[in-house]
Amino acid sequence: MFISNWVSRPLVELGIWATKLGRGEWEETKHQDSLISEVESLSSSLQFMADNIKHNTINLENEVTKRTQELQQLNSKLEKLSNTDGLTAIANRRFFDEIIIQEVSRAKRKKVPLGLIIMDIDYFKKYNDLYGHQAGDNCLIVFANTIKENLKRKSDFIARYGGEEFAIVWGDVSLKESLKIAQHLMQNISNLKIPNHLSPIGPYLTVSMDLSIITPTKNSNEEI
């Protein structure tokens, strides 16, 4: 019985230890050495295997974390690209359609006015025909940047609505303030003095603006 107990006890302890290692309890160590060389050899081999598994598991977890972060960053970039106009680097029509729904909803909840400007560059086709499409693209970039520079609040939103059309949305602004913003924007665009000699209304590019101010109600429609 003494010999049986002397042989079996370290094996039982070894089995319990192996079970804990299998559950990922890496910090668990074998409590005592065995005087039986075969058991001690098995114990050392098990410890070596456990250390390797622990090392590989930690490396794998770190790699998964790293890849997950990279994937999240990539998805964020892809989402941003899908919402951004490739030429002017402002929001595209798709993103505008999402934002206008959110802004109408917010204005309903807070019972505040919502402002919208639709801006169209006059006789832009004639400009492209005379100066070329590259000049037209440059012109759209300049217009987009000019609009951005004149929108001061973080909540103000600008998007390329169509080919030469831009949309501007802002909330909680009165009609008087909105008219002031529109006039200031119109003046800054006029100051650009971009030539358009085919325009029937003057030697420079001009824009037409439609300004609307509404306080949405529960029956208001988000569609533009």
Side-chain angles (χ1 to χ4, degrees):
M1 289 180 61
F2 172 77
I3 294 174
S4 176
N5 186 50
W6 181 61
V7 172
S8 63
R9 180 177 296 174
L11 291 175
V12 170
E13 291 180 353
L14 195 60
I16 294 173
W17 180 47
T19 300
K20 290 181 178 180
L21 292 176
R23 291 199 297 259
E25 298 176 17
W26 308 113
E27 304 307 321
E28 189 70 25
T29 58
K30 187 166 70 68
H31 296 295
Q32 62 183 21
D33 296 332
S34 172
L35 296 176
I36 303 174
S37 61
E38 290 81 359
V39 173
E40 191 61 28
S41 177
L42 178 61
S43 175
S44 298
S45 297
L46 183 60
Q47 181 67 65
F48 178 76
M49 181 181 68
D51 289 341
N52 281 339
I53 293 175
K54 176 183 177 181
H55 176 74
N56 292 335
T57 300
I58 292 174
N59 284 345
L60 180 60
E61 289 174 348
N62 290 339
E63 187 66 22
V64 168
T65 300
K66 178 182 176 182
R67 296 300 180 189
T68 301
Q69 291 173 346
E70 290 175 350
L71 184 59
Q72 289 172 342
Q73 291 173 357
L74 180 60
N75 286 337
S76 178
K77 288 180 181 178
L78 289 174
E79 182 179 2
K80 185 177 180 180
L81 286 174
S82 70
N83 292 332
T84 303
D85 177 61
L87 176 64
T88 60
I90 61 175
N92 57 19
R93 173 65 182 272
R94 173 182 173 276
F95 196 27
F96 170 82
D97 290 340
E98 294 178 9
I99 291 297
I100 194 66
I101 292 174
Q102 295 176 18
E103 287 300 311
V104 169
S105 227
R106 187 181 67 85
K108 284 180 185 179
R109 288 195 315 271
K110 295 188 173 183
K111 298 180 180 180
V112 295
L114 181 68
L116 170 68
I117 285 179
I118 299 294
M119 179 191 302
D120 189 9
I121 302 177
D122 300 321
Y123 302 102
F124 192 65
K125 185 178 182 306
K126 291 181 179 293
Y127 182 88
N128 274 333
D129 291 342
L130 180 60
Y131 299 100
H133 288 283
Q134 183 60 56
D137 288 348
N138 293 337
C139 174
L140 291 172
I141 294 171
V142 169
F143 268 63
N145 289 336
T146 301
I147 297 170
K148 281 194 296 185
E149 290 168 1
N150 283 272
L151 300 179
K152 305 301 183 183
R153 303 185 310 170
K154 290 183 178 179
S155 58
D156 295 340
F157 178 80
I158 170 179
R160 187 179 177 190
Y161 190 73
E164 66 272 15
E165 296 174 320
F166 297 91
I168 306 166
V169 181
W170 60 85
D172 199 10
V173 180
S174 67
L175 176 59
K176 182 179 180 180
E177 291 172 312
S178 298
L179 285 171
K180 184 178 179 180
I181 292 171
Q183 290 167 353
H184 183 68
L185 185 56
M186 187 77 81
Q187 183 60 53
N188 277 275
I189 289 174
S190 176
N191 291 340
L192 294 173
K193 295 190 180 302
I194 300 176
N196 186 15
H197 295 297
L198 290 184
S199 172
I201 56 177
Y204 303 111
L205 270 179
T206 57
V207 295
S208 298
M209 288 186 184
D210 290 324
L211 169 64
S212 297
I213 300 290
I214 61 168
T215 301
T217 65
K218 62 180 181 179
N219 297 320
S220 296
N221 193 326
E222 292 87 353
E223 293 185 4
I224 302 300

